[in-house]
Amino acid sequence: METKQKERIRRLTELLKKTDRIHLKEAARMLEVSVMTIRRDFSQDDEPLPLALLGGYIVMVNKPAAPSASLTATQVAGHHRDDVPMAILAAGLVSENDVVFFDNGPEMPLVISMIPDDISFTGICYSHQVFMALNARPNTTAMLCGGTYRAKSDAFYDPVNASILDSLNPRKVFISASGVHAQFGVTWFNPDDLPMKRKAMERGLRKILLARYARFDEVAQANIAPLAGFDVLISDRPLPADYPDRCRNGFVKVLTRGNGSE
């Protein structure tokens, strides 16, 4: 039977097949343990590990070629560099047998590519690119909400008929933001996406917001929800002034690169 220590090492090994390194604090948050627990995992194992601790980062000793490396390279190339740390943190929240909704954010295919291949889960989406990323995974059931395809946003919309989301309760819902503002809340550039984003949040058990540091104090034209409407906020670096307090007051857990929960 696999011990918790072995499980943690296995999950980190799978993730490091798809990225060069993981900060020790990021790994601790992803696995929901302390930094000291991760350090003990490395110091107490009698067998040689495929991983090593170097300068506060976890790296692979001899990195094998990943089966999905070409997919990951393509996805990383098409994204802002700040999306990568957010994708690593978001991917670490997906667990075995989860039902997960991914919205139409540009970083969502990258998040999916970072989820270890041995984790089996069901992914729900309405974006063509997100569906392709889910369908490329070996142990994932991909569910596409149908409707009329709009090439401009590369997504499917059906405001009239029932959706898959009407009968499912995703355990986790990933929502991307174009802006996060103290007064105007969380906003998005495309009003067409609002019905799907809001429905997913209504049906989902854990609502997770992805927002780059550069998106704070910005306001886009379509309002998604107040910041307190989310359970978790993931960003690529510590939040600007006042936002950590706003998140604490709204009971929003914050995950950022290289820092503990704020």
Side-chain angles (χ1 to χ4, degrees), residues 11-204:
R11 289 190 64 182
L12 290 172
T13 301
E14 287 297 320
L15 184 54
L16 279 164
K17 291 177 181 178
K18 301 181 178 185
T19 188
D20 292 332
R21 60 184 184 173
I22 305 172
H23 196 282
L24 184 59
K25 291 182 179 179
E26 290 177 3
R29 286 195 304 279
M30 287 165 46
L31 299 174
E32 298 183 337
V33 296
S34 68
V35 168
M36 287 306 299
T37 296
I38 301 293
R39 289 189 181 277
R40 282 196 296 268
D41 286 346
F42 281 83
S43 63
Q44 294 179 355
D45 203 302
D46 296 330
E47 301 176 5
L49 292 177
L51 311 178
L53 275 174
L54 293 176
Y57 286 88
I58 302 172
V59 299
M60 290 196 76
V61 177
N62 294 302
K63 186 169 183 177
S68 55
S70 59
L71 174 65
T72 303
T74 301
Q75 290 167 340
V76 171
H79 289 80
H80 192 281
R81 64 183 181 182
D82 292 340
D83 289 342
V84 177
M86 291 197 305
I88 292 173
L89 290 169
L93 299 179
V94 178
S95 303
E96 185 74 13
N97 298 323
D98 267 348
V99 177
V100 186
F101 175 85
F102 299 89
D103 82 350
N104 198 24
E107 68 275 69
M108 295 301 169
L110 186 63
V111 172
I112 293 164
S113 76
M114 293 291 183
I115 300 170
D117 288 339
D118 61 341
I119 292 180
S120 299
F121 70 96
T122 297
I124 307 169
C125 65
Y126 65 101
S127 159
H128 175 251
Q129 287 296 323
V130 173
F131 176 77
M132 294 298 289
L134 288 168
N135 199 47
R137 294 179 48 82
N139 296 306
T140 298
T141 299
M143 303 181 71
L144 178 65
C145 299
T148 301
Y149 177 73
R150 298 181 189 174
K152 183 178 180 180
S153 52
D154 192 41
F156 297 84
Y157 303 93
D158 191 343
V160 178
N161 296 312
S163 165
I164 294 171
L165 283 173
D166 292 322
S167 57
L168 293 176
N169 300 311
R171 184 168 296 276
K172 280 135 192 176
V173 171
F174 287 106
I175 301 293
S176 182
S178 298
V180 181
H181 193 275
Q183 178 180 353
F184 296 98
V186 180
T187 55
W188 185 243
F189 76 97
N190 186 0
D192 291 339
D193 291 330
L194 283 186
M196 290 300 294
K197 285 176 177 276
R198 288 176 174 171
K199 180 174 286 190
M201 290 185 66
E202 290 172 3
R203 305 291 303 187

